[in-house]
């Protein structure tokens, strides 16, 4: 008989962390494996691996295979962060120096590589009856994440980027790993293809909603609650949902003013651009867009053919992730 007392995100995070907080690498060469372990010890939110476990638990007790997959997912995610930080020349990650800042770019590249290798080592432990399907999903996801990162880099120097293009990029760079984590967990739980696809759609739409919110909070969030000074994306001229929408709806005079502000290289441009966003209704539009993607996510989750009460932890997590209005 299936247990109806499902774990919530916090309790599953603790269970995952107790298993994951171990050494994944041999001791030598020390610099290489210290670099590979650096980011892992800083403990991100672990959303992706825990989503894998939550999806697995929808269909029965959490399997050992789901923990192997969750380990692989978290290692892969951190591998992408190490390499992204190198490409972005980012000095800080999770409040600490990035891997390349501490160990040099060459060692950081190798550290990311061994994290990816170790991810495959965990996947290789999965029951042979699932392994081929899991590897296909993992490889397809990894390829898409790389495609998304490439598009993101190209957009930096591309003068015109449409909202459609931006959503496609976010879907690849950010959302597919959330989606695949859910699908992989459900696959390992014995879910049929239809249920796997509904969970994938739930994750993909949730990921886009989260990015809309992230873009919004960077501009309009309360720094005390959001954890960082607002306007960072504006300062760096980053293409966001807000900027792209403003360029779509602004009149010619506003566009001229916006372009002039974007050429300014200091924080004096932040407040005028925020005021322009408000005058164009971009702030309200972003809140509505986030809610639209959340609705799509919850609609997909609603189609998963298990008892409604078994889906409550995932519903709660979706609302919790997207409930930081200010």
């Amino acid at each position: 008989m299936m247990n109806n007392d499902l774990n919530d995100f916090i309790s599953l995070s603790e269970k995952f962390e107790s298993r994951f907080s171990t050494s994944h690498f041999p001791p030598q060469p020390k610099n290489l494996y210290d670099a590979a372990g650096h980011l892992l010890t800083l403990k991100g939110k672990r959303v992706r691996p825990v989503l894998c476990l939550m999806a697995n638990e929808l269909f029965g007790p959490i399997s050992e295979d789901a923990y192997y997959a969750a380990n692989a997912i978290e290692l892969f995610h951190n591998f992408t962060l190490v390499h992204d930080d190198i490409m972005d020349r980012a000095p800080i990650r999770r409040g600490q120096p990035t891997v390349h800042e501490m160990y040099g770019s060459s060692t950081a590249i190798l550290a990311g590589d061994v994290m990816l290798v170790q991810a495959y080592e965990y996947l290789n432990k999965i029951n042979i009856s699932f392994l081929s399907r899991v590897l296909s999903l993992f490889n397809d996801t990894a390829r898409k994440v790389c495609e998304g990162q490439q598009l993101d880099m190209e957009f930096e120097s591309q003068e015109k980027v449409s909202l459609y293009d931006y959503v496609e990029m976010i879907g690849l760079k950010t959302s597919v790993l959330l989606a695949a984590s859910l699908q992989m967990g459900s696959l390992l739980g014995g879910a049929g293809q239809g249920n796997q696809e509904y969970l994938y759609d739930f994750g993909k739409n949730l990921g886009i909603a989260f990015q809309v919110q992230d873009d919004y909070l960077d501009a309009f969030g309360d720094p005390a609650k959001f954890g960082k000074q607002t306007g960072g994306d504006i300062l760096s001229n980053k293409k966001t949902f807000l900027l792209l929408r403003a360029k779509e709806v602004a009149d010619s005079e506003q566009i001229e003013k916006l372009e002039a502000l974007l050429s300014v290289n200091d924080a004096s441009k932040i407040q005028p651009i925020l005021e322009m966003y408000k005058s164009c209704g971009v702030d309200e539009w972003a809140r509505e867009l986030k809610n639209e993607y959340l609705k799509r996510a919850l609609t997909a989750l609603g189609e998963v053919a298990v008892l409604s009460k078994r889906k409550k932890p995932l519903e709660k997590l979706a609302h919790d992730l997207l409930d930081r209005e200010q």
Side-chain angles (χ1 to χ4, degrees), residues 205-311:
N205 284 291
L206 185 64
I208 295 172
F210 189 84
Q211 186 62 52
V212 175
Q213 174 179 257
D214 203 53
D215 287 358
Y216 173 88
L217 288 175
D218 187 89
F220 297 106
D222 179 346
K225 296 179 181 178
F226 188 37
K228 62 179 182 179
Q229 191 62 43
T230 51
D233 289 344
I234 293 173
L235 189 59
S236 62
N237 286 351
K238 185 177 177 184
K239 292 180 175 69
T240 65
F241 278 102
L242 302 175
L243 178 59
L244 297 177
R245 175 65 175 177
K247 287 187 172 184
E248 275 193 354
V249 299
D251 60 32
S252 57
E253 184 179 334
Q254 288 173 318
I255 287 289
E256 187 176 338
K257 182 180 177 183
L258 180 59
E259 293 298 340
L261 286 167
L262 290 173
S263 67
V264 175
N265 292 319
D266 60 57
S268 66
K269 67 183 176 183
I270 293 175
Q271 196 55 41
I273 289 179
L274 289 178
E275 289 169 5
M276 185 174 295
Y277 284 169
K278 288 181 179 178
S279 68
C280 292
V282 169
D283 53 339
E284 183 59 35
W285 169 86
R287 289 194 294 269
E288 291 173 359
L289 186 65
K290 180 196 80 170
N291 289 331
E292 174 60 31
Y293 277 107
L294 175 59
K295 181 180 176 182
R296 292 183 195 179
L298 293 175
T299 298
L301 180 62
E303 295 293 333
V304 178
V306 299
L307 291 173
S308 294
K309 61 185 175 182
R310 297 191 67 79
K311 294 180 272 190

Side-chain angles (χ1 to χ4, degrees), residues 56 59 63 75 91 112 141 145 174 176 248 251 258 285 293 323:
N56 188 251
F59 302 94
S63 68
L75 281 164
T141 303
V145 170
T174 302
V176 293
E248 275 193 354
D251 60 32
L258 180 59
W285 169 86
Y293 277 107
D323 233 12

Side-chain angles (χ1 to χ4, degrees), residues 2 25 28 113 126-127 135 164 190 213 252 258 323 326:
M2 190 178 288
F25 310 106
Q28 297 294 334
D113 291 346
I126 289 173
N127 187 295
L135 282 173
Y164 174 84
Q213 174 179 257
S252 57
L258 180 59
D323 233 12
Q326 296 296 336

